[in-house]
Amino acid sequence: MKLLRRRPKLPAALRPALHPEERVLAWAYVGEPGGPVAVATNQGLWLPDRPRLGWHEIHKAAWSGRELRITPAEVAEQRDGYTVLEDGPVVTCLLLEPGELPDQVRARVTRSVAYTSHHALAPGGVRVVGRRVSGVDGLSWSVRYDSGTPVDAEPVIQLTDELVGVAQEATAPPP
């Protein structure tokens, strides 16, 4: 019979300032054991020297087997009913003993996406995304333009408004 080795509890001295409803799901040392930690909670991801990223604030998460690469979303513009996002600087964490952290990150980021669709524009394209935000009813709507898309052009803004509206209607609960 194989015994499962349970990861030790996160030391209190390394615990981030969690919100009252927040609980730790997984954690790992970044670099050598005894150093800073990355912590996944039900509400987001705590990385060393950063405020918590909500799961809905992570554009991409990639796991190489040793490195966790997080691409956070940054607000480029707030529009009526949705936010225009762009990729923030990638954060790379070397995890020598990752435990369940990469799996939790992947699962939570994926679970936060309730709706996604990509639309070709001339030129470029736009991805419309509706995401679940911990503690908030309904979906949070955002768009992310492909490189080379004229994001400030009035026809692009107008079409984006329409695409977001269609997505919101398609996901609205029945009356």
Side-chain angles (χ1 to χ4, degrees):
M1 179 162 125
K2 184 178 178 182
L3 294 175
L4 293 177
R5 197 169 144 213
R6 189 170 174 95
R7 181 162 192 88
K9 190 174 180 178
L10 177 63
L14 298 176
R15 192 179 204 52
L18 304 179
H19 292 101
E21 302 294 318
E22 196 170 13
R23 67 185 189 288
V24 173
L25 303 173
W27 67 278
Y29 286 109
V30 177
E32 295 295 324
V37 295
V39 179
T41 73
N42 57 315
Q43 294 184 0
L45 180 64
W46 294 87
L47 298 170
D49 302 321
R50 295 184 62 110
R52 182 191 69 206
L53 284 169
W55 297 117
H56 66 286
E57 297 173 308
I58 298 174
H59 269 219
K60 297 177 213 164
W63 173 241
S64 73
R66 285 180 55 90
E67 287 184 340
L68 180 64
R69 294 175 52 85
I70 302 294
T71 305
E74 290 188 350
V75 175
E77 183 181 349
Q78 190 66 50
R79 294 185 182 160
D80 188 28
Y82 65 97
T83 304
V84 178
L85 299 175
E86 58 190 18
D87 287 352
V90 175
V91 179
T92 302
C93 298
L94 175 65
L95 305 178
L96 300 175
E97 297 178 15
E100 294 181 28
L101 186 70
D103 291 335
Q104 281 292 332
V105 170
R106 180 182 41 80
R108 295 291 170 151
V109 170
T110 301
R111 193 178 309 157
S112 75
V113 179
Y115 176 94
T116 183
S117 64
H118 185 268
H119 305 274
L121 304 175
V126 64
R127 178 162 303 282
V128 177
V129 182
R131 294 185 85 168
R132 296 175 190 91
V133 179
S134 182
V136 176
D137 287 336
L139 299 179
S140 172
W141 290 93
S142 62
V143 299
R144 186 166 151 221
Y145 289 103
D146 295 350
S147 179
T149 305
V151 300
D152 296 329
E154 191 55 41
V156 170
I157 294 171
Q158 192 172 13
L159 182 54
T160 302
D161 290 347
E162 291 172 18
L163 293 169
V164 172
V166 168
Q168 290 170 333
E169 287 177 25
T171 59

